[in-house]
Amino acid sequence: MRHPWNIRPLLYVTVAAGLCHACSETDTDGNSPNPTGIDVSHFQGQVNWQAVKRDGLSFTYIKASEGTSLADADFPENWKGATDNALLRGAYHVFSPDDDGDAQADYFLSRLKAQQIDYTGALPPALDIEALPKDSLGAARPHIAQWLHRVEAALGCKPIIYTSPGTWDTEFPGDFTGYGLWLADYARSPTLPQGWKDWTFWQYSDTGDYTGVGGTVDLDRFNGTADQLARITCPGGQD
């Protein structure tokens, strides 16, 4: 993910029961049996989702919004393209330390509503938390909690958080670990942040090269089987 702060991003995911714990040591050379996916935003430009599907990818996370006023211009087209090509897809929001958590949640939900998206069957909504200015850490905690709680109440689906171990351990050691983990760690095997016992998604590279995607793209892996991936999708849609 590439965002204005130009820092490795964060996110967390609901940990589904029965995940493949042995898969935590999967390698990054493309030989893993686990479902693989990408995450995209307007930085990727126009994505050919038919080509992405042909490449064998199973899922994608798509940027919907940031803060309380920044909508990703390519979200509607990306969501439709992924849906039309039978890819499991989830939406993510980039957290702003300067904005109220409830207001950010409402803005994220408004982007789904504007596209008349029924979130049933989608991957858990994700909160992307970048490294925050040191003077905003204490103030950020309640706003992160507000976003998570409000989105869960609206969609009937527990959100996920995306992060890297170094940043999270420094800023929020042990916080919010009741939420699943979408881990950003570009190493051969992942290192868990404090408090988590496993990861659900692992973003293992930011230099992926796939037919249908212009330039490089983030690569992600699910910690389980294709059937288990389908079982963590959201049961209910937005009111």
Side-chain angles (χ1 to χ4, degrees):
M1 299 176 191
R2 298 164 183 83
H3 305 303
W5 299 321
N6 194 29
I7 300 175
R8 297 285 191 230
L10 313 176
L11 276 145
Y12 292 81
V13 209
T14 7
V15 178
L19 291 184
C20 175
H21 298 285
C23 300
S24 295
E25 297 303 321
T26 52
D27 59 33
T28 58
D29 61 8
N31 294 325
S32 170
N34 305 82
T36 55
I38 57 175
D39 54 89
V40 301
S41 70
H42 65 279
F43 284 106
Q44 275 67 50
Q46 187 171 18
V47 177
N48 182 334
W49 288 101
Q50 217 172 11
V52 168
K53 178 68 172 181
R54 282 199 305 268
D55 273 345
L57 296 178
S58 301
F59 67 90
T60 181
Y61 266 97
I62 302 169
K63 182 180 178 182
S65 54
E66 181 171 344
T68 57
S69 61
L70 295 176
D72 193 289
D74 288 343
F75 175 66
E77 186 175 353
N78 281 331
W79 190 269
K80 183 177 186 304
T83 302
D84 289 348
N85 287 279
L87 280 164
L88 288 175
R89 65 274 178 269
Y92 76 88
H93 173 84
V94 180
F95 178 78
S96 166
D98 300 321
D99 296 314
D100 176 77
D102 283 334
Q104 292 190 64
D106 288 343
Y107 186 62
F108 170 74
L109 294 167
S110 77
R111 302 311 304 149
L112 303 183
K113 191 170 185 178
Q115 302 307 315
Q116 299 182 316
I117 290 173
D118 177 358
Y119 212 76
T120 304
L123 294 171
L127 182 60
D128 175 352
I129 306 168
E130 307 284 345
L132 306 177
K134 294 301 179 186
D135 59 358
S136 72
L137 294 185
R141 284 180 173 86
H143 294 297
I144 292 170
Q146 286 172 350
W147 192 97
L148 295 168
H149 295 157
R150 198 173 190 93
V151 169
E152 181 175 1
L155 298 183
C157 187
K158 192 169 185 177
I160 69 176
I161 302 173
Y162 159 99
T163 192
S164 64
T167 302
W168 194 258
D169 288 347
T170 300
E171 297 182 355
F172 301 103
D175 288 13
F176 305 109
T177 55
Y179 294 86
L181 175 62
W182 180 4
L183 175 64
D185 190 15
Y186 309 141
R188 188 166 183 82
S189 60
T191 299
L192 293 169
Q194 293 183 41
W196 273 277
K197 301 192 185 314
D198 214 339
W199 51 271
T200 305
F201 292 97
W202 172 25
Q203 185 188 84
Y204 62 90
S205 174
D206 62 352
T207 57
D209 182 13
Y210 271 98
T211 305
V213 182
T216 59
V217 66
D218 298 330
L219 304 180
D220 303 283
R221 181 166 293 147
F222 175 66
N223 191 7
T225 66
D227 286 345
Q228 288 169 333
L229 177 63
R231 289 202 296 270
I232 72 166
T233 57
C234 296
Q238 186 175 0
D239 294 334

